[in-house]
Amino acid sequence: MRDKALLFINGDAPKSLPNPENYGLIACTDGAFHYLKRMGFPLDKLDFISGDFDSHSGFDENIYEEKFIHTPDQERTDFHKALDLILEKGFRHVDVLGGSGGEQDHFLGNLTVAYRFKDEMEIRFYDEYSEYYFVPKKVILKGIKGRMVSLYPFPIVDNIITKGLNWQLNGESASMTNRLLTRNFAIEDEVSIEYEKGDLLIFIGKNYL
């Protein structure tokens, strides 16, 4: 996993923290820096803290000041700018914590940012309820038997075929404004999903059965 980056952003703070030794790069946005301090995260493991610092109380943590990267561009969110920096450093796989909760426009904005990067990076969000990410046209998921699986068209998906879910899909289409494919669950250890057109966001929940 050392080829992966770990990014904390300013949504709800995670209840637990991953092992930093599993990542080749660790970063956070300025707002997330506060909850990492409160939670006792080893701040020396951070490679950078980026943002416009509108959520920061000032450059008072002098020991970490060299890690601060000021990104004042108001045309992009702090999440977007952090992903740009991670991409520049050569990382194509990113686990994101703190992407949900808080103000819901931020959550929707985070999904839109991830959508913009989906062809350049594999971005996986994790929160207390599920992990979620954009999946390619064909994907096999392993070890998820008994877990909730929601498929969310972004904004449309055509000709979806699944195997291993309780309610199988055999060539159906779905759209954000017409038909959603949420609250299914895996009945096999291996689940396959493929689709022909569009983009698909998947949510894999905690143990369902």
Side-chain angles (χ1 to χ4, degrees):
M1 288 180 63
R2 295 285 298 179
D3 60 340
K4 278 189 177 185
L6 174 63
L7 175 62
F8 297 94
I9 60 178
N10 194 24
D12 282 350
K15 295 289 191 300
S16 58
L17 297 170
N19 184 352
E21 300 304 323
N22 291 333
Y23 295 92
L25 180 144
I26 303 174
C28 71
T29 58
D30 58 345
F33 186 74
H34 296 302
Y35 70 66
L36 291 177
K37 275 201 306 181
R38 290 196 308 270
M39 297 178 73
F41 184 81
L43 299 176
D44 59 301
K45 298 291 186 182
L46 291 171
D47 290 279
F48 68 81
I49 304 109
S50 68
D52 52 22
F53 296 98
D54 59 354
S55 301
H56 202 276
S57 58
F59 295 93
D60 53 336
E61 293 85 1
N62 293 330
I63 190 172
Y64 303 113
E65 188 171 353
E66 76 282 357
K67 298 175 184 283
F68 295 162
I69 300 177
H70 189 218
T71 54
D73 180 4
Q74 294 301 310
E75 297 300 315
R76 297 174 296 155
T77 65
D78 285 348
F79 178 38
H80 190 145
K81 290 177 282 189
L83 290 177
D84 279 336
L85 290 168
I86 291 170
L87 193 59
E88 287 173 10
K89 294 178 183 297
F91 288 83
R92 299 294 185 272
H93 303 272
V94 186
D95 289 348
V96 179
L97 279 73
S100 59
E103 296 173 344
Q104 293 308 303
D105 58 337
H106 282 175
F107 171 65
L108 293 174
N110 291 337
L111 294 180
T112 301
V113 169
Y115 175 79
R116 291 177 181 174
F117 280 85
K118 67 182 175 59
D119 295 326
E120 299 176 278
M121 310 175 83
E122 180 185 296
I123 301 168
R124 294 196 180 202
F125 296 90
Y126 294 85
D127 63 23
E128 295 309 304
Y129 304 99
S130 60
E131 61 183 273
Y132 49 101
Y133 52 95
F134 288 95
V135 293
K137 294 293 190 290
K138 290 186 178 182
V139 65
I140 294 177
L141 309 172
K142 297 183 178 181
I144 64 167
K145 185 176 181 179
R147 296 172 69 182
M148 181 273 291
V149 177
S150 286
L151 305 178
Y152 193 87
F154 206 89
I156 62 168
V157 179
D158 289 336
N159 195 25
I160 310 169
I161 299 171
T162 66
K163 294 180 181 178
L165 296 179
N166 188 58
W167 295 286
Q168 302 285 33
L169 299 168
N170 295 292
E172 285 95 333
S173 295
S175 74
M176 189 183 292
T177 58
N178 183 26
R179 183 189 181 196
L180 302 178
L181 305 169
T182 58
R183 312 308 293 181
N184 209 331
F185 64 93
I187 57 173
E188 303 290 343
D189 282 329
E190 186 170 290
V191 171
S192 66
I193 301 168
E194 61 180 277
Y195 59 99
E196 187 175 310
K197 182 182 177 183
D199 290 291
L200 186 63
L201 184 65
I202 189 168
F203 293 78
I204 303 174
K206 304 281 183 165
N207 216 357
Y208 189 84
L209 298 178

